[in-house]
Amino acid sequence: PLMGASGSHHVHVYVGSPPQRQTLIVDTGSRLMAFPCIPCRSCGKHASSYFEPELSTTDRIPTCGNCLLEGISSCSKFSNHKLGKKCILQQQYTEGSSWTAYEIEDMVWVGSAFQEDRMEEWIRQLAVPYPFGCQTSESGLFRKQHADGILGLAIHPTSLIQQFFKHGSIATNAFSLCLTKADGVWSLGGTEPSYHEEEMKFTPQARDHGWYAVTVLEVKLDGYCVACDNKTYIRAMEGGKGTIFDSGTTDTYLPKDLAPRWERIWKELTGLPYAKRKRKYTYDEFLTLPTLEIIFAGNVTLQVGPVSYMEHVPAYLPWTGSRELINRIYVDEPEGAVLGANTMFGYDILFDNENRRIGLAKARCGDMGYHQTTAFQR
């Protein structure tokens, strides 16, 4: 089960023996798991208590020369660092936040608050030894967020999904995310088709490591072509990192090369100028807002309506008078596109690393049940 808060989706991760709960952002756009550990004097107040390595009987702290996150951890650059010979991790983000951590390995599994009375049993049966960052400092948004830290799920040999598969805890090297604005479900080792409203269709992964990139054939607004008959616009979707699914990013970012045509079509369809700032809408104006359609290789279509991409849409429609809404699709990305969580609502999306493909099916994500951990085992 996933919990939504402040535009991101969180999962309970249980670490150590006995298990200590951490609430982490589920992020397909990064590859590290990290959260504050005692003593972190510059970390913020989050959903859970800081992790205490000394309380765990199964933790291990690698040292320089034996770092487990090879190519990510660093030693030589920080040889005089106050953390001594520990393997150091550092992350900085474009909006200015950052964190520093040291590498630690311990037993890891996932679950919900409703299963905590059985978590030690689950840990013994299904948990895997997994390296992560024990944060010693945080800055910017990382200090202010509700979640304790982040769980990176990008394609990498050190990913948690890969380790679950390697140790036989799940049947296949795959997982799915089925998100709503309020919550969602993370299925390990596969997906749950009984909640699908259509047959799942598949598009190939455009990369075999790192981001979950896909090949875009067309981009439309209410059926009108934004990027389909012009190779320049399609190449803009493929630039840089390509077009990626990133559950850790709240909003969606399309390439700036699409902006002139996007704004013209938007105005023609709605009678309103495209705006990415707060604006008041009557309900009749809201009804004119277009549906974004993205067609991927394999003739797989993703449809994103205004209920998903507009922020502050009330749960119950219609409304009287006007309401202040915010458009969370931005057409200003220098290269490529980032399909954030708001494009994923109402779909079960399968990240099938074993077969190097991504599956999409419209689904009743809100009906899938949130008191259980869904894991498809061998």
Side-chain angles (χ1 to χ4, degrees):
L2 300 175
M3 296 76 63
S6 303
S8 58
H9 290 76
H10 311 140
V11 65
H12 289 327
V13 175
Y14 293 83
V15 184
S17 307
Q20 301 175 49
R21 188 176 80 185
Q22 296 293 307
T23 301
L24 307 182
I25 295 171
V26 174
D27 182 17
T28 59
S30 66
R31 60 183 181 176
L32 290 173
M33 183 171 84
F35 43 82
C37 294
I38 286 180
C40 184
R41 295 180 177 85
S42 64
C43 294
K45 184 178 181 181
H46 305 298
S48 312
S49 301
Y50 294 174
F51 182 72
E52 297 188 53
E54 292 183 359
L55 296 183
S56 177
T57 61
T58 50
D59 72 303
R60 182 167 74 91
I61 301 177
T63 55
C64 291
N66 297 291
C67 299
L68 298 175
L69 297 172
E70 202 64 44
I72 306 175
S73 298
S74 177
C75 278
S76 58
K77 184 178 178 181
F78 298 95
S79 58
N80 296 320
H81 196 279
K82 64 181 179 181
L83 294 177
K85 296 182 179 180
K86 295 176 182 177
C87 304
I88 305 303
L89 304 168
Q90 286 194 323
Q91 287 287 300
Q92 293 184 322
Y93 300 87
T94 53
E95 92 287 346
S97 60
S98 65
W99 53 262
T100 299
Y102 64 89
E103 189 180 295
I104 185 172
E105 182 188 62
D106 212 333
M107 304 303 292
V108 175
W109 185 240
V110 298
S112 75
F114 301 95
Q115 298 171 315
E116 289 193 356
D117 58 340
R118 295 187 58 198
M119 193 49 62
E120 290 198 40
E121 175 188 345
W122 283 85
I123 287 282
R124 287 194 299 271
Q125 293 177 0
L126 298 170
V128 300
Y130 187 65
F132 58 90
C134 227
Q135 291 174 340
T136 58
S137 69
E138 295 176 322
S139 70
L141 295 179
F142 261 85
R143 293 192 67 184
K144 302 174 183 178
Q145 67 185 16
H146 169 78
D148 302 304
I150 195 162
L151 173 57
L153 297 174
I155 308 168
H156 194 268
T158 61
S159 78
L160 184 58
I161 297 299
Q162 178 81 15
Q163 297 309 306
F164 282 153
F165 175 64
K166 177 181 176 182
H167 287 83
S169 298
I170 57 176
T172 60
N173 182 13
F175 65 93
S176 72
L177 293 174
C178 200
L179 306 181
T180 73
K181 281 192 173 184
D183 43 36
V185 172
W186 178 29
S187 299
L188 305 176
T191 187
E192 182 47 74
S194 64
Y195 291 94
H196 295 174
E197 297 178 339
E198 61 184 9
E199 183 178 349
M200 180 167 277
K201 295 182 178 180
F202 297 93
T203 186
Q205 292 179 1
R207 297 173 182 263
D208 59 5
H209 67 281
W211 290 295
Y212 291 99
V214 289
T215 299
V216 174
L217 302 181
E218 298 179 341
V219 179
K220 297 180 179 180
L221 283 174
D222 272 357
Y224 289 85
C225 175
V226 177
C228 48
D229 57 355
N230 187 309
K231 292 182 179 180
T232 300
Y233 294 148
I234 294 299
R235 282 198 296 269
M237 300 291 289
E238 298 172 348
K241 56 188 171 293
T243 295
I244 66 169
F245 280 101
D246 184 358
S247 64
T249 297
T250 304
D251 304 330
T252 290
Y253 299 85
L254 301 179
K256 62 182 181 181
D257 287 356
L258 273 59
R261 182 177 285 195
W262 175 280
E263 292 172 2
R264 177 175 57 78
I265 295 173
W266 186 284
K267 180 69 178 293
E268 290 174 355
L269 290 171
T270 68
L272 304 170
Y274 164 71
K276 56 184 180 181
R277 59 185 183 276
K278 291 180 181 179
R279 184 190 185 281
K280 289 186 177 181
Y281 293 84
T282 65
Y283 184 65
D284 286 341
E285 288 176 329
F286 175 77
L287 291 177
T288 69
L289 298 181
T291 294
L292 167 65
E293 293 178 280
I294 304 178
I295 296 90
F296 306 113
N299 197 31
V300 179
T301 300
L302 175 71
Q303 294 181 319
V304 187
V307 170
S308 294
Y309 65 73
M310 298 298 286
E311 189 177 7
H312 303 314
V313 176
Y316 300 100
L317 303 175
W319 65 81
T320 58
S322 60
R323 294 187 66 95
E324 195 171 70
L325 307 178
I326 305 174
N327 193 332
R328 292 300 189 184
I329 296 179
Y330 301 93
V331 193
D332 57 7
E333 191 75 358
E335 293 182 301
V338 178
L339 305 181
N342 64 352
T343 64
M344 302 168 70
F345 298 151
Y347 281 87
D348 194 18
I349 300 181
L350 177 66
F351 298 84
D352 185 355
N353 297 324
E354 192 160 313
N355 296 297
R356 293 187 58 187
R357 61 183 185 172
I358 292 177
L360 286 87
K362 290 182 179 179
R364 303 185 306 277
C365 302
D367 296 339
M368 291 181 69
Y370 303 103
H371 296 181
Q372 63 183 14
T373 296
T374 305
F376 301 93
Q377 295 176 263
R378 299 178 187 176

